[in-house]
Amino acid sequence: MRIALGIEYDGSRFSGWETQARGRTVQNVVEIALAEIATSPIQTVCAGRTDSGVHAYGQVVHFDTSAERPETA
């Protein structure tokens, strides 16, 4: 199943969107949180990305998962 998310965040404490060897990124934090819910690793695809310290509003991200959860979960 493919799921799309519209997200927003304050990028002040992040090294941008995209996963990097160093620094805390939004992508890493989002993927860790989603993996907790799906109980398996999740890789996101973003419609754009931000630089270090940049905020986002209405950024679109999607991911694929085989996790089955009720719509009310």
Side-chain angles (χ1 to χ4, degrees):
M1 172 185 325
R2 177 160 290 171
I3 298 175
L5 305 173
I7 63 173
E8 63 183 78
Y9 52 85
D10 179 333
S12 299
R13 296 184 179 167
F14 292 97
S15 297
W17 166 264
E18 192 169 26
T19 297
Q20 301 174 27
R22 294 182 168 181
R24 181 174 182 245
T25 67
V26 179
Q27 183 177 21
N28 285 55
V29 171
V30 168
E31 289 179 355
I32 289 168
L34 291 171
E36 286 278 324
I37 295 166
T39 64
S40 64
I42 296 291
Q43 292 184 333
T44 58
V45 177
C46 186
R49 61 182 214 186
T50 56
D51 292 326
S52 183
V54 175
H55 315 311
Y57 175 77
Q59 189 168 33
V60 179
V61 177
H62 81 261
F63 63 95
D64 296 321
T65 183
S66 59
E68 293 187 28
R69 296 181 50 91
E71 289 186 28
T72 57

